[in-house]
Amino acid sequence: LVLPKTLLIEENYEKLVTLAEECKIPVIYIKAGDKLLAGQLELTCLHPKADYSAEDSNSYSTVLEVEYGEFKALLTGDMGIKEEKLLLENGMLQDVLLLKVAHHGSKNSSCEEFLQCVQPELAIISAGKDNSYGHPHKDTLERLDDVGSKVMSTAEYGGITVEVEGGKVRADGYVR
């Protein structure tokens, strides 16, 4: 289990750690700058920094840059615009092929400056069909369209798998 090194410890975070320990699952804490390596796969933690402080647990979402050969992806958790702007200010972002859109495609994530910087060809949104929050938000979908991203949402496609092989990327949904 890989968790963000965080100053905000909420009840659910503690329960998750306790459950992992009871099941003898190793717990690793990660912070910005840390890397996880497995063969050609490299995961780099971009957020949060060890000393990052926020009042909202979503702000502590682990943000990972994934590199596998020429393939690059950005996994954003539930971070908001504040964290996107921090990453922009720190010069930590680059073009990616795939973006896991933050916070279920809410209107409070995926700001224009962020999307202009990462320029994702494919954007995947995890959101339940007909969810009460109205995710993904139409403004977010418009911003993704403005940067030329193909959007796939679990609300439409169900589970989405992404395969990378021989420099080619293929994404498929379970619902047709």
Side-chain angles (χ1 to χ4, degrees):
L1 176 63
V2 179
L3 294 173
K5 187 76 171 167
T6 173
L7 299 175
L8 178 66
I9 306 293
E10 292 185 333
E11 183 180 350
N12 287 336
Y13 186 97
E14 287 179 338
K15 284 181 180 178
L16 186 59
V17 170
T18 300
L19 185 58
E21 289 169 348
E22 288 172 359
C23 293
K24 300 195 182 340
I25 296 170
V27 179
I28 299 169
Y29 297 93
I30 193 168
K31 64 186 179 316
D34 290 346
K35 292 183 184 286
L36 301 172
L37 305 170
Q40 294 181 352
L41 177 66
E42 182 174 309
L43 302 173
T44 303
C45 181
L46 302 182
H47 179 79
K49 290 184 176 182
D51 61 351
Y52 183 70
S53 180
E55 294 179 13
D56 173 22
S57 60
N58 286 340
S59 298
Y60 284 101
S61 287
T62 302
V63 178
L64 296 173
E65 179 183 73
V66 179
E67 291 188 61
Y68 183 75
E70 297 297 314
F71 173 78
K72 285 192 175 122
L74 188 62
L75 311 178
T76 58
D78 280 348
M79 76 172 180
I81 292 173
K82 177 183 173 190
E83 291 73 37
E84 291 173 355
K85 290 189 175 183
L86 276 174
L87 292 173
L88 287 166
E89 289 169 15
N90 293 331
M92 300 178 85
L93 299 171
Q94 56 184 314
D95 283 7
V96 297
L97 178 64
L98 182 142
L99 171 68
K100 197 299 279 171
V101 176
H103 207 225
H104 316 284
S106 92
K107 67 179 179 178
N108 298 317
S109 64
S110 305
C111 70
E112 183 179 345
E113 300 89 351
F114 174 79
L115 293 175
Q116 287 292 333
C117 182
V118 298
Q119 294 285 316
E121 291 180 33
L122 174 62
I124 295 179
I125 299 173
S126 176
K129 188 173 182 162
D130 301 321
N131 65 80
S132 60
Y133 295 101
H135 294 152
H137 196 275
K138 65 179 180 67
D139 292 349
T140 302
L141 293 172
E142 287 173 11
R143 289 191 297 269
L144 287 163
D145 186 58
D146 288 345
V147 296
S149 293
K150 176 186 177 189
V151 176
M152 293 180 76
S153 171
T154 57
E156 182 180 352
Y157 290 93
I160 298 170
T161 59
V162 176
E163 293 181 24
V164 180
E165 190 173 323
K168 304 236 186 239
V169 177
R170 186 173 130 207
D172 283 313
Y174 287 96
V175 177
R176 306 264 180 214

